[in-house]
Amino acid sequence: MKKAVLLFYCLFLSFVVFAEDGYQLWLRYYLIDNKNLLEQYRAAITGIQINGNTPGLEAAKEEIITGLSGLLGKKIPLQKEFTTGTLLIGTPASSNQIKSLSLPQLQKTGDEGFSITTLKRNGKNIIAIAANTDAGVLYGVFHFLRLLQTHQGIQNLSIVSVPKVRNRILNHWDNLDRTVERGYAGFSIWDWHKLPDYIDPRYKDYARANASIGINGTVLTNVNANALVLTPQYLEKVAALASIFRPYGIKVYLTARFSAPVEIGGLKTADPLDHQVQQWWKDKAKEIYQYIPDFGGFLVKANSEGQPGPQNYGRNHAEGANMLADALAPYKGIVMWRAFVYSGETPEDRFKQAYSEFKPLDGKFRPNVMVQVKNGPIDFQPREPFHPLFGAMPQTPLMMEFQLTQEYLGQGTNLVYEAPMFKEVLDADTYAKGKGSTVANVIDGRLDGHTLTGMAAVSNIGTDRNWTGHLFGQANWYALGRLAWDHTLTSEKIADEWVRQTFSNNTTLLNSIKSIMLSSHEAMVNYMTPLGLHHIMGYSHHYGPAPWWDKAPRADWNPVYFHKADSLGIGFDRTSKGSNALAQYTPEVRKRFEDISTCPEEYLLWFHHVSWKYKMKSGRTLWEEMCYKYNEGVKAVRAMQAQWAGMEKAIDKERFEHVKMLLNIQEKEAVWWRDACLLYFQTFSKMPIPAQYEQPAHTLEYYESLKFPNAPGI
Ligand code: BDP
């Protein structure tokens, strides 16, 4: 009987320890599986000294103890004295030992950076993780654990790390009823109904995960905002979340519905120049800060896609943003005012509208306002040229908005590693102040001397056990944090870190998974929107191909508006002969895109209406190139499947099967995209799909007849 019970416990324990459901993200802390390295680490780390009992230092202490006992397979004792192998952790204020080291690098680490240094103290080798603040200490601890998780040497550490961007933020598009706009990973993790009394353990794990990659802010609610979240009933719930996140250096933000003074305040207007309205927001800010003393501020979507805003009262975006900024300023709160605006009435090329509205407002915003700009001018497409506002508003801090949730990138089923796409935009040169004026330098404030800086991304997190629905969605969350901290990191390096922590340090496995990840974005661009095609997805839910769609209530929600295919060719002419959107870029950028012979082919149809017979660099005609690219996309997905299949023995069954099944869906979807798009565009090109390629299995009518009334995420 006793034996049976023991056996049961052993089985139970092994299940608990080895259940690979993805919940632990990249913070798995499994025993180092390289014997030599394990011995080295065990010899180098024999004790932990961390003094101080602030919530932040307690969080750091808990993490280092948990992390080390997992990675080193034994409990590392807390110490009061130095011995060889002491890991000394803290700030000069929390630890006399750290103070006595007088580390010169702490002059450079500011209020979030950290240093990790190997030192000799009283003849003893120690490692010091030091920072000026608790948040810095925590980031240092996570970085140190990452070194071990990724099997780095720790003999002669001399690391100084400081974030390049100040506000590193997740934007949850979560509604108060727990649905998530464009969410493909279940419902919202914020259980509003049970808050503030019921604290889901996930909240803390969410905070740990974010802190581990340097994310220091979270906007809890959808940009299509509900004013209710600003009422006391909800503020109490927000405060409960804020108190869980605080030790992890994470501030909460809310979306502010512009019409809130009318909807929950009983006023007749929300006009930003009305004194009563201004006072209402001031009172509201005061109230919020009573609940949440370190509240971060507001994210606002105004006068866009039906949301209320200052233009309802004949005021401009700066007047709207400044009113909120004035209300938040006494408490050091900020406003992140979105530039994703386009008007239903304006017939102007949608590409141009944000620039047209915001560029004239440069210099008109309060110092605590950032204008949050999507990476591209249209809307999170698989590949977009950089937004022309970057570099065009030198007097205004511009914040980057990426999208982790893959609304237009295969949603919840496609493996697409987004870092290469983020990097493409960050590394793009705006030429705003001559060569080298990259988008990254605009948003990190260096180009125009701003200290208020930020990078945000629309979250892909939900209640799914593995957080992001597709396991590889975790890599995008990870990449956002790492890039916001340091945009000079390469996609390859970030993938490397993530795979080592999430799967294994085994070189063969590491390289195979990395190669899948690094090829995935280009693969998707090819099977969805090659050569600069954009916004040809299904109407409203954005699932699957629908280049034929022309029935939306407004022109610029229709794929036909964006691809403009006709008997002569395909593509949106944005040169001076067309919409002239290119005039919004600096002359250098404009020239390159304007001249069809220098326009990079991956952006060709963004800017040119090109003849079907146009000769591409490959020697193929445009039509043939399109057929080629769509087929390359499918081929690449099949290669990803084959690579994944080859790793069966090296990956636990649970995650292996999960990804395998999703790759099968991805392959089907890639074929569907290719066949539907080629059949449709063929009605204009009137040319055959070359015989060397697989021919579509169905007719165009079949693809056009497919309907998805219950597609997720709407
Ligand atoms: C679009 C989404 C829509 C969002 C909007 C936004 O389709 O659901 O509300 O962006 O960013 O991509 O506000």
Side-chain angles (χ1 to χ4, degrees):
M1 178 63 194
K2 264 189 182 162
K3 260 192 184 167
V5 173
L6 200 69
L7 188 69
F8 171 79
Y9 275 115
C10 288
L11 280 174
F12 177 72
L13 271 182
S14 65
F15 173 75
V16 172
V17 175
F18 296 110
E20 289 284 18
D21 55 17
Y23 181 83
Q24 292 157 294
L25 297 157
W26 46 88
L27 301 175
R28 293 157 75 247
Y29 302 142
Y30 286 3
L31 183 67
I32 302 283
D33 57 4
N34 173 323
K35 260 206 163 147
N36 288 339
L37 208 56
L38 180 62
E39 288 320 311
Q40 269 179 44
Y41 288 164
R42 281 182 172 170
I45 311 162
T46 55
I48 304 167
Q49 188 181 122
I50 175 166
N51 300 326
N53 54 5
T54 56
L57 290 172
E58 288 294 341
K61 192 195 290 179
E62 189 182 332
E63 198 69 33
I64 195 78
I65 291 173
T66 315
L68 289 182
S69 49
L71 290 163
L72 305 187
K74 63 178 201 181
K75 198 154 189 255
I76 308 296
L78 289 169
Q79 296 175 319
K80 287 266 171 271
E81 299 302 324
F82 279 159
T83 57
T84 282
T86 296
L87 190 57
L88 176 61
I89 304 172
T91 65
S94 75
S95 154
N96 284 333
Q97 305 283 20
I98 294 272
K99 193 172 171 191
S100 72
L101 296 176
S102 312
L103 297 166
Q105 58 268 42
L106 289 190
Q107 322 240 306
K108 288 187 253 160
T109 52
D111 55 7
E112 288 189 304
F114 59 85
S115 72
I116 307 180
T117 325
T118 307
L119 295 161
K120 240 196 168 69
R121 210 49 193 160
N122 309 334
K124 302 186 169 101
N125 288 325
I126 62 160
I127 298 173
I129 304 179
N132 298 314
T133 62
D134 290 1
V137 169
L138 193 64
Y139 294 141
V141 160
F142 276 115
H143 191 85
F144 184 72
L145 289 169
R146 177 158 53 234
L147 295 178
L148 306 191
Q149 287 175 286
T150 57
H151 291 196
Q152 308 302 303
I154 56 165
Q155 284 90 350
N156 288 303
L157 296 171
S158 151
I159 296 170
V160 179
S161 185
V162 185
K164 292 206 179 340
V165 162
R166 201 168 182 81
N167 297 289
R168 306 174 297 277
I169 297 187
L170 284 182
N171 290 181
H172 287 263
W173 282 0
D174 295 15
N175 299 311
L176 300 182
D177 65 2
R178 295 193 80 175
T179 55
V180 179
E181 175 142 354
R182 313 303 178 182
Y184 311 100
F187 287 93
S188 168
I189 56 172
W190 319 132
D191 192 347
W192 293 111
H193 189 66
K194 294 198 202 114
L195 279 164
D197 301 310
Y198 186 85
I199 302 299
D200 189 323
R202 255 192 196 237
Y203 302 149
K204 181 171 159 190
D205 288 330
Y206 167 86
R208 289 175 53 233
N210 279 323
S212 77
I213 51 175
I215 288 173
N216 65 0
T218 176
V219 182
L220 301 175
T221 45
N222 192 354
V223 286
N224 298 320
N226 185 334
L228 269 187
V229 80
L230 303 175
T231 59
Q233 187 191 2
Y234 278 90
L235 290 175
E236 206 188 341
K237 298 167 191 279
V238 173
L241 290 174
S243 66
I244 298 155
F245 303 157
R246 191 167 296 118
Y248 292 90
I250 298 167
K251 284 187 182 177
V252 300
Y253 298 76
L254 293 172
T255 45
R257 185 157 164 92
F258 204 78
S259 49
V262 177
E263 288 166 18
I264 57 168
L267 300 188
K268 294 229 154 44
T269 175
D271 181 349
L273 299 194
D274 180 288
H275 290 301
Q276 267 190 308
V277 173
Q278 292 169 348
Q279 193 55 47
W280 187 87
W281 281 109
K282 284 188 176 141
D283 294 344
K284 185 47 75 184
K286 188 170 172 200
E287 185 185 6
I288 294 175
Y289 281 91
Q290 274 158 6
Y291 282 96
I292 310 143
D294 55 353
F295 179 65
F298 293 133
L299 170 66
V300 188
K301 171 176 179 178
N303 294 120
S304 170
E305 300 184 328
Q307 293 300 304
Q311 292 175 343
N312 298 29
Y313 307 95
R315 317 296 182 195
N316 65 33
H317 285 285
E319 288 166 322
N322 291 344
M323 171 194 58
L324 296 176
D326 289 343
L328 295 169
Y331 317 96
K332 300 200 167 24
I334 59 169
V335 174
M336 297 169 286
W337 191 270
R338 296 177 84 225
F340 178 69
V341 297
Y342 59 98
S343 133
E345 296 78 49
T346 320
E348 192 181 36
D349 176 3
R350 186 170 139 187
F351 185 114
K352 297 167 70 176
Q353 293 188 32
Y355 179 102
S356 304
E357 285 203 39
F358 278 85
K359 163 87 182 154
L361 300 177
D362 190 25
K364 303 233 156 65
F365 292 94
R366 296 281 191 271
N368 58 333
V369 176
M370 275 192 282
V371 172
Q372 183 168 309
V373 184
K374 286 189 181 181
N375 57 276
I378 297 293
D379 193 3
F380 299 137
Q381 294 304 296
R383 170 171 280 132
E384 295 205 32
F386 71 86
H387 201 298
L389 275 175
F390 292 116
M393 295 183 66
Q395 299 178 71
T396 311
L398 297 189
M399 187 168 174
M400 174 63 77
E401 178 176 318
F402 288 127
Q403 194 185 46
L404 304 178
T405 193
Q406 294 167 232
E407 176 180 358
Y408 300 95
L409 285 83
Q411 305 195 341
T413 53
N414 287 203
L415 190 166
V416 179
Y417 175 52
E418 295 183 300
M421 183 179 83
F422 300 160
K423 288 289 287 185
E424 220 166 86
V425 178
L426 291 167
D427 293 344
D429 200 339
T430 68
Y431 284 88
K433 290 193 171 161
K435 200 170 161 43
S437 309
T438 61
V439 172
N441 289 348
V442 173
I443 66 139
D444 74 10
R446 267 193 294 168
L447 195 71
D448 302 304
H450 294 297
T451 48
L452 182 60
T453 55
M455 191 188 289
V458 181
S459 147
N460 57 354
I461 297 163
T463 48
D464 278 9
R465 181 70 190 157
N466 71 8
W467 301 84
T468 51
H470 197 305
L471 185 81
F472 277 77
Q474 296 179 0
N476 295 332
W477 176 9
Y478 185 86
L480 185 267
R482 298 292 287 136
L483 280 175
W485 186 277
D486 181 1
H487 55 67
T488 67
L489 292 172
T490 63
S491 308
E492 205 260 325
K493 161 83 173 125
I494 297 169
D496 189 275
E497 285 180 7
W498 180 78
V499 177
R500 285 173 187 271
Q501 295 172 86
T502 307
F503 285 100
S504 163
N505 282 277
N506 172 292
T507 319
T508 320
L509 192 71
L510 178 65
N511 290 337
S512 304
I513 300 182
K514 265 168 34 181
S515 118
I516 290 180
M517 289 170 76
L518 291 167
S519 62
S520 61
H521 174 246
E522 202 60 43
M524 185 218 42
V525 172
N526 283 340
Y527 65 73
M528 281 191 187
T529 53
L531 302 170
L533 285 170
H534 49 283
H535 222 308
I536 55 172
M537 316 37 211
Y539 172 62
S540 173
H541 51 62
H542 300 153
Y543 173 65
W548 48 80
W549 190 261
D550 61 359
K551 296 185 182 55
R554 42 182 297 162
D556 56 6
W557 285 352
N558 280 318
V560 296
Y561 169 92
F562 291 102
H563 64 67
K564 304 214 183 303
D566 57 24
S567 60
L568 300 177
I570 181 169
F572 200 131
D573 184 353
R574 294 191 164 103
T575 68
S576 50
K577 291 192 216 75
S579 79
N580 205 20
L582 280 169
Q584 296 183 337
Y585 288 111
T586 52
E588 290 86 344
V589 176
R590 173 189 185 156
K591 203 167 141 235
R592 181 158 169 257
F593 286 142
E594 176 107 18
D595 180 345
I596 194 166
S597 68
T598 56
C599 180
E601 288 186 349
E602 62 260 35
Y603 297 115
L604 191 64
L605 306 180
W606 269 100
F607 298 119
H608 298 273
H609 191 73
V610 184
S611 152
W612 294 109
K613 297 208 169 114
Y614 177 77
K615 265 256 164 358
M616 303 290 289
K617 297 202 173 79
S618 62
R620 289 182 277 267
T621 64
L622 173 64
W623 168 250
E624 288 162 354
E625 188 76 3
M626 200 176 267
C627 295
Y628 169 77
K629 288 281 183 188
Y630 271 110
N631 277 284
E632 281 298 290
V634 171
K635 209 164 111 190
V637 176
R638 289 180 180 155
M640 284 156 64
Q641 285 180 295
Q643 266 179 302
W644 188 258
M647 292 182 260
E648 180 160 12
K649 291 208 170 63
I651 295 177
D652 53 281
K653 191 164 164 50
E654 196 168 350
R655 291 187 297 175
F656 177 79
E657 291 295 334
H658 164 81
V659 175
K660 183 178 149 188
M661 289 189 285
L662 290 171
L663 282 171
N664 292 346
I665 296 178
Q666 187 167 356
E667 193 265 350
K668 275 196 203 162
E669 292 186 353
V671 169
W672 169 33
W673 267 94
R674 175 195 67 187
D675 294 348
C677 290
L678 288 180
L679 279 176
Y680 170 72
F681 292 132
Q682 190 180 39
T683 62
F684 301 98
S685 82
K686 307 263 188 254
M687 287 187 258
I689 298 170
Q692 76 257 34
Y693 301 127
E694 276 174 11
Q695 300 294 311
H698 302 280
T699 61
L700 177 58
E701 291 66 41
Y702 165 80
Y703 295 112
E704 289 187 2
S705 73
L706 300 175
K707 300 265 174 314
F708 305 96
N710 300 314
I714 315 174

